[in-house]
């Protein structure tokens, strides 16, 4: 080993680096460091020792490390120019050098051997003195690790080891300990250490001054490692629980019966669950990512809803109407509020409940209640009217044969009695809405029709009306017999009055379906068709209105209104149609009464 | 029915107990019945009717259904209990009476059927063979 030469003038050189004497002359050491300055200090010692003893130093490092090394060497009084000129101090850029022997990111052994082997040979030749060595420092492996190529880094370590079999040099590699901060780095870390003959821990260990301190440090590290392992296990367990919980919550939301959705600050739908998609009939692609306002029927309702959200209000039972894919509308109520972070609106939390059926039933109930109330009022009035009517009728009966009346007075009494009959008829028809029994019974429409047709038989014979029946079923429905009888009395009476010169009356009774979008609702269809004078077009819209009649003095105008009321109470429908057939008018009334027993569910 | 009753029935006349809480209606109804040759006694309440029925014999009872206090059906039950052989007609404005009514009275007539219908019904009840 040569003595310290001329460049050690101004400052004492750093203490000799024991690594040169302590390890084999061709040792491969890895140094881990926490701080760059710690690496530079160690490298400075390594290089200055080598150069001071006539050995050569090859430094393949990053530019910042090279610059720091050069500065430190100069600060220590070492002249680096002379060794550089002599070829004993070789400074190379780590990235540039790496690029010269990697092919497709993988270190090529031939290229490495030629390039680095040549460099080592050159440095060896330039060194002088009996014990002159070549000391090499390289952080190309660290670069490969930093690039996410651990296998390439290990391969390069192996190439260095291979080169050491044919060339004499010692090598120190360096890695920042921060590069191995994750659990999954452990295996590779050990592989890297295994490629080296010696490992220098980071400065937290190397800076300890005694074995006692180092042993204490090791114990402490062991304790920390154990603590970390425990904490890691606990965290994994917690994470697993959290993931399970998240999964459960996501499942609850995704499969909730009510609709749930998130809407972003630009009113775009961010997410929705299956229930809402199924309710509206859209696929996820057709709904998510679109403006929420597109699906609201009433824009002012949506705008008010959004304004409330922007005012940070919590919204409960907000009624709205949503448009489905098939064009239908669903009535919903919405609970909603917004998620705000740092004063910024992130998204809504919307819960949507379908109340379409509920609203329909409420409407049916309101209608039924109104009708019931009207019926009760009508019943009350009719009942009250009947009492004095009976007395008046009795008075006219007495007057009819009263000896004090002359013919004129008797005729006036007769006219008054006839008008009274009309009033009694109206009261009777009005009372037809009401009943004292609250229980409908199973009624055969066939028997009802038979009764009614029998009642009108004499009149039909007199008028020359032919009856054609087409009865295909008994037509059992749940209803009040007197009300059903009233319906068909009204219809058949109207038909007969439309055929004063005779004609044909057709009555049919069969199973059928309701004429709505729900064709599966079963029921009984009754058709009453006459070949009478028909209903003039201008009157057809008023046919079911109360007190509308085309029969001048004979009609009360209540028959069809009463009939429709009774049918509607049964949740059925009544329609009519006027057509021409073989030159004759045909007026047909069709009554549908459901048989699924739902008609009285709300009454 | 006693001998005088039988005689009246044979003559197609009857002694009728007519009950109604409304005096005008009651009096006019009485006159209508009398034009058909019937004898009529009236009562304006169920209680008064029962007192009269106990103290005399009648061929037929004609009651209004809706009466305050002892209503028509309650009165009819009491009459039937005292003498089940006397036919009863109940008058009402209602379109349908409870089934229990039909088990007590012989006929239910709506007030809007008119006086002739009432007289014919009385005649039918008193002379069922005809």
């Amino acid at each position: 080993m040569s003595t310290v030469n001329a460049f050690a003038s101004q400052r004492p050189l750093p203490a000799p680096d024991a690594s040169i004497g302590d390890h084999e002359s061709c040792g491969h050491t890895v140094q881990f460091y926490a701080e760059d300055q710690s690496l530079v200090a160690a490298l400075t010692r390594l290089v200055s020792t080598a150069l001071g003893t006539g050995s050569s130093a090859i430094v393949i490092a990053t530019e910042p490390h090279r610059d720091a090394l050069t500065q430190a060497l100069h600060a220590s009084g070492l002249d680096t120019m002379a060794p550089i000129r002599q070829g004993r101090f070789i400074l190379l850029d780590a990235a540039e050098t790496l690029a010269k022997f990697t092919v497709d990111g993988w270190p090529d052994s031939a290229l490495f051997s030629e390039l680095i082997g040549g460099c080592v040979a050159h440095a060896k030749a330039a060194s002088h003195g009996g014990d002159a060595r070549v000391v090499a420092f390289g952080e190309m492996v660290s670069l490969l690790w930093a690039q996410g190529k651990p296998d390439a880094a290990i391969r390069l370590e192996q190439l260095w080891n291979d080169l050491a079999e044919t060339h004499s040099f010692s090598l120190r590699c360096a890695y920042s300990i921060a590069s191995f901060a994750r659990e999954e780095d452990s295996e590779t870390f050990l592989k890297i250490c295994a490629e080296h003959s010696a490992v220098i821990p980071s400065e937290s260990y190397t800076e300890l001054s005694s074995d006692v301190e180092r042993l204490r440090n090791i114990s402490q590290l062991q304790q920390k490692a154990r603590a970390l392992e425990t904490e890691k296990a606990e965290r994994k367990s917690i994470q697993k629980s959290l993931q399970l919980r998240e999964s459960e919550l996501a499942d609850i939301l995704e499969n909730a019966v009510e609709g749930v959705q998130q809407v972003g600050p630009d009113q775009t739908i961010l997410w929705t669950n299956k229930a809402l998609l199924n309710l509206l009939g859209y696929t996820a692609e057709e709904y998510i990512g679109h403006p929420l306002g597109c699906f609201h029927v009433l824009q002012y309702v949506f705008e008010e809803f959004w304004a409330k959200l922007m005012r940070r209000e919590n919204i409960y039972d907000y009624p709205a109407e949503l448009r489905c894919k098939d064009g239908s509308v669903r009535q919903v109520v919405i609970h909603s509020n917004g998620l705000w972070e740092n004063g910024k609106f992130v998204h809504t939390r919307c819960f949507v409940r379908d109340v379409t059926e509920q609203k329909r039933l409420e409407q049916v109930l309101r209608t039924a209640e109104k009708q019931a109330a009207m019926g009760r009022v009508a019943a009350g009035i009719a009942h009250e009217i009947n009492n004095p009517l009976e007395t008046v009728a009795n008075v006219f009966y007495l007057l009819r044969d009263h000896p004090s009346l002359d013919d004129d007075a008797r005729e006036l009494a007769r006219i008054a009695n006839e008008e009274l009959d009309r009033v009694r008829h109206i009261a009777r028809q009005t009372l037809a809405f009401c009943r004292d029994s609250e229980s409908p019974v199973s009624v055969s429409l066939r028997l009802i029709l038979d009764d009614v047709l029998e009642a009108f038989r004499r009149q039909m014979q007199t008028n020359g009306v032919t009856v054609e029946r087409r009865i295909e079923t008994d037509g059992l429905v749940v209803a009040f017999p007197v009300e059903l009888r009233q319906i068909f009395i009204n219809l058949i009476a109207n038909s007969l009055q439309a055929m004063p010169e005779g004609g044909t009356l057709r009555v049919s009774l069969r199973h059928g379906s309701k004429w709505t979008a729900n064709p599966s609702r079963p029921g009984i269809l009754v058709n009453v068709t006459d070949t009478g004078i028909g209903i003039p077009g201008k009157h057809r819209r008023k046919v079911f209105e109360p007190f509308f009649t085309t029969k001048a003095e004979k009609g009360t105008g209540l028959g069809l209104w009463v009939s429709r009321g009774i049918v509607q109470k049964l949740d059925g429908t009544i329609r009519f149609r006027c057509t021409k057939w073989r030159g004759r008018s045909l007026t047909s009334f069709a009554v549908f009464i459901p048989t699924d027993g739902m008609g009285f569910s709300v009454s | 029915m006693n001998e005088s009753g039988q005689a009246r029935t044979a003559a197609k006349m009857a002694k009728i107990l007519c009950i109604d809480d409304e005096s005008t209606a009651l009096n006019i109804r009485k006159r209508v019945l009398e034009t058909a040759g019937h004898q009529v006694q009236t009562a304006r309440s169920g209680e008064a009717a029962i007192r009269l029925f106990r103290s005399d014999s009648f061929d037929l009872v004609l009651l209004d259904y809706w009466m305050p206090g002892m209503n028509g059906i309650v009165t009819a039950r009491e009459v039937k209990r005292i003498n089940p052989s006397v036919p009863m007609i109940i008058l009402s404005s209602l379109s349908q009476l409870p089934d229990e009514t039909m088990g007590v009275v012989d006929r239910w007539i709506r007030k809007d059927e008119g006086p002739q219908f009432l007289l014919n019904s009385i005649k039918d009840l008193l002379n069922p063979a005809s």
Side-chain angles (χ1 to χ4, degrees):
Chain A
M1 186 184 295
S2 61
T3 58
V4 174
N5 56 21
F7 52 70
S9 58
Q10 291 82 16
R11 293 184 194 175
L13 285 172
D17 191 317
S19 67
I20 293 182
D22 289 346
H23 300 283
E24 295 174 11
S25 59
C26 298
H28 185 182
T29 307
V30 61
Q31 177 178 355
F32 296 102
Y33 62 92
E35 302 291 334
D36 287 282
Q37 63 192 34
S38 175
L39 171 67
V40 171
L43 187 57
T44 302
R45 283 196 299 274
L46 183 73
V47 170
S48 62
T49 301
L51 295 180
T53 57
S55 295
S56 297
I58 303 172
V59 173
I60 311 175
T62 61
E63 185 178 354
H65 287 166
R66 294 199 315 275
D67 290 346
L69 172 66
T70 306
Q71 201 171 4
L73 288 172
H74 289 166
S76 70
L78 187 67
D79 173 22
T80 57
M81 298 310 296
I84 289 174
R85 279 196 304 273
Q86 294 163 9
R88 290 194 300 122
F89 186 28
I90 300 174
L91 271 173
L92 299 173
D93 182 78
E96 285 176 13
T97 307
L98 182 61
K100 289 178 182 173
F101 62 82
T102 52
V103 178
D104 295 329
W106 189 254
D108 183 86
S109 61
L111 292 173
F112 172 82
S113 179
E114 184 183 345
L115 178 67
I116 303 301
C119 192
V120 170
H122 180 80
K124 176 71 174 172
S127 61
H128 53 77
D131 290 329
R133 302 280 183 267
V134 175
V135 171
F137 171 82
E139 55 181 351
M140 295 181 291
V141 287
S142 179
L143 285 184
L144 285 171
W145 174 260
Q147 289 168 8
K149 299 173 184 174
D151 292 337
I154 291 171
R155 178 59 183 151
L156 182 53
E157 298 281 10
Q158 290 167 347
L159 291 180
W160 277 111
N161 290 336
D162 292 342
L163 189 66
E165 290 178 7
T166 54
H167 293 70
S168 175
F169 63 95
S170 67
L171 172 67
R172 181 176 294 190
C173 304
Y175 294 86
S176 168
I177 194 67
S179 303
F180 303 92
R182 300 176 306 167
E183 167 68 22
E184 49 265 38
D185 297 329
S186 298
E187 192 178 331
T188 313
F189 180 80
L190 289 174
K191 282 183 184 174
I192 288 172
C193 290
E195 294 297 334
H196 297 82
S197 55
V199 175
I200 302 176
S202 71
E203 52 271 32
S204 63
Y205 178 84
T206 56
E207 286 173 359
L208 298 172
S209 57
S210 67
D211 285 343
V212 170
E213 282 189 5
R214 291 191 189 104
L215 287 172
R216 192 178 292 132
N217 182 257
I218 289 170
S219 299
Q220 191 180 16
L221 288 172
Q222 286 173 334
Q223 184 276 326
K224 279 187 178 177
R226 176 58 65 91
L228 277 171
E229 286 295 317
T230 303
E231 193 180 314
K232 193 176 72 175
E234 285 173 357
R235 278 196 188 175
K236 267 193 176 171
S237 173
I238 290 170
Q239 195 174 5
K240 196 173 170 186
S241 295
L242 278 174
Q243 279 174 348
L244 187 62
R245 191 82 186 125
E246 265 183 34
S247 173
E248 286 173 356
L249 288 172
D251 175 73
I252 287 173
L253 286 177
E254 182 59 34
N255 296 290
V257 174
E258 278 197 5
V260 185
Q261 65 182 2
Q262 289 175 331
V263 182
D266 60 351
Q267 301 180 356
T268 301
I269 300 166
L270 301 176
W271 172 84
T272 189
N273 70 346
K274 280 190 271 194
L276 193 48
L277 290 175
N278 289 342
L279 175 67
L280 302 179
Y282 295 104
T283 63
E285 293 74 25
E286 291 168 335
Y287 191 73
I288 296 172
H290 294 267
L292 179 61
C294 291
F295 303 96
H296 275 257
V297 173
L298 301 172
Q299 282 307 296
Y300 74 89
V301 168
F302 168 68
E303 285 164 11
E304 187 190 324
F305 167 78
W306 195 259
K308 282 175 178 284
L309 281 176
M310 292 303 105
R311 292 196 294 267
R312 299 205 189 204
E313 290 181 26
N314 287 331
I315 301 172
Y316 299 100
D317 286 329
Y318 190 85
E321 294 179 352
L322 298 180
R323 190 175 294 108
C324 300
K325 184 174 176 179
D326 63 3
S328 62
V329 172
R330 303 303 288 189
Q331 313 250 6
V332 299
V333 290
I334 306 173
H335 302 324
S336 186
N337 59 14
L339 170 66
W340 294 79
E341 283 179 0
N342 301 321
K344 282 187 71 176
F345 176 76
V346 181
H347 62 73
T348 69
R349 308 177 188 103
C350 286
F351 295 84
V352 181
R353 182 159 52 92
D354 180 29
V355 294
T356 307
E357 185 61 17
Q358 179 185 329
K359 292 287 182 195
R360 188 190 73 81
L361 289 176
E362 284 174 1
Q363 181 60 40
V364 169
L365 185 59
R366 275 196 293 272
T367 304
E369 284 177 346
K370 201 190 298 184
Q371 285 178 339
M374 282 170 55
R376 284 193 291 273
V377 168
I381 293 172
H383 183 265
E384 292 303 310
I385 285 176
N386 268 342
N387 284 335
L389 280 182
E390 188 236 354
T391 302
V392 173
N394 285 344
V395 167
F396 280 127
Y397 180 81
L398 293 169
L399 280 177
R400 185 186 61 179
D401 295 322
H402 203 283
S404 71
L405 288 186
D406 60 15
D407 289 343
D408 187 44
R410 199 164 286 120
E411 177 60 14
L412 290 173
R414 187 194 66 78
I415 291 170
N417 197 40
E418 270 188 7
E419 295 304 299
L420 186 66
D421 269 344
R422 292 180 64 193
V423 176
R424 290 213 304 256
H425 185 59
I426 290 171
R428 187 183 308 153
Q429 294 227 314
T430 307
L431 260 184
F433 269 118
C434 307
R435 59 203 177 259
D436 298 271
S437 168
E438 287 300 318
S439 301
V441 294
S442 180
V443 183
S444 164
L445 278 172
R446 179 177 64 79
L447 293 177
I448 295 283
L449 283 170
D450 282 347
D451 279 349
V452 173
L453 286 170
E454 178 58 29
F456 282 102
R457 183 171 59 84
R458 189 166 294 176
Q459 186 179 346
M460 286 191 282
Q461 281 175 349
T462 305
N463 289 11
V465 172
T466 308
V467 178
E468 294 177 4
R469 298 175 203 227
R470 191 170 168 186
I471 308 294
E472 295 178 14
T473 173
D474 270 342
L476 294 179
V477 296
V478 178
F480 293 94
V482 67
E483 292 182 342
L484 289 179
R485 197 170 286 115
Q486 189 67 53
I487 296 170
F488 299 110
I489 286 173
N490 289 338
L491 293 181
I492 291 172
N494 285 346
S495 288
L496 292 183
Q497 282 165 356
M499 295 183 288
E501 308 296 328
T504 303
L505 177 72
R506 291 192 192 96
V507 177
S508 71
L509 172 67
R510 63 182 175 87
H511 288 289
S513 302
K514 193 169 182 180
W515 313 292
T516 64
N518 178 12
S520 63
R521 191 165 190 202
I524 304 295
L525 274 170
V526 180
N527 263 280
V528 176
T529 306
D530 66 73
T531 59
I533 58 177
I535 302 172
K538 61 182 177 180
H539 293 152
R540 290 177 191 173
R541 293 181 67 183
K542 300 181 186 176
V543 155
F544 290 107
E545 289 182 9
F547 303 109
F548 174 78
T549 180
T550 60
K551 289 177 279 194
E553 295 176 357
K554 294 183 186 173
T556 62
L558 287 177
L560 287 177
W561 175 66
V562 166
S563 296
R564 186 179 68 170
I566 296 170
V567 170
Q568 285 175 342
K569 278 196 302 180
L570 296 170
D571 206 21
T573 52
I574 180 169
R575 294 182 176 184
F576 76 95
R577 188 176 54 178
C578 296
T579 55
K580 289 275 189 190
W581 183 71
R582 293 185 182 178
R584 304 183 74 177
S585 291
L586 289 181
T587 303
S588 180
F589 277 81
V591 175
F592 173 81
I593 298 173
T595 54
D596 55 8
M598 290 177 68
F600 283 96
S601 61
V602 292
S603 64
Chain B
M1 196 185 294
N2 58 19
E3 285 183 5
S4 59
Q6 287 170 353
R8 287 196 298 273
T9 304
K12 297 183 184 173
M13 292 161 42
K15 189 171 179 183
I16 298 176
L17 176 57
C18 191
I19 311 159
D20 197 317
D21 62 301
E22 292 195 17
S23 61
T24 305
L26 185 61
N27 291 335
I28 296 299
R29 196 176 304 137
K30 176 179 182 226
R31 288 181 64 172
V32 168
L33 296 174
E34 284 170 348
T35 62
H38 301 299
Q39 292 178 33
V40 182
Q41 286 204 39
T42 59
R44 289 187 59 195
S45 70
E47 293 85 353
I50 295 303
R51 283 196 296 273
L52 268 177
F53 190 76
R54 282 185 207 275
S55 62
D56 204 343
S57 71
F58 293 91
D59 302 312
L60 186 137
V61 177
L62 179 61
L63 316 95
D64 183 29
Y65 182 68
W66 281 114
M67 289 192 294
M70 204 172 169
N71 70 15
I73 191 60
V74 173
T75 308
R77 281 204 197 104
E78 184 60 17
V79 165
K80 196 174 184 81
R81 194 188 64 79
I82 297 169
N83 188 347
S85 67
V86 176
M88 284 188 283
I89 296 175
I90 203 157
L91 280 175
S92 173
S93 299
L94 299 169
S95 58
Q96 189 173 347
L97 290 179
D99 291 341
E100 59 179 359
T101 319
M102 301 316 297
V104 179
V105 302
D106 296 277
R107 195 77 55 102
W108 158 59
I109 295 176
R110 287 207 314 264
K111 287 183 178 176
D112 62 353
E113 306 274 14
Q116 191 61 56
F117 189 88
L118 173 62
L119 292 172
N120 290 344
S121 299
I122 291 172
K123 186 176 162 186
D124 288 343
L125 273 179
L126 291 176
N127 300 285
S130 65

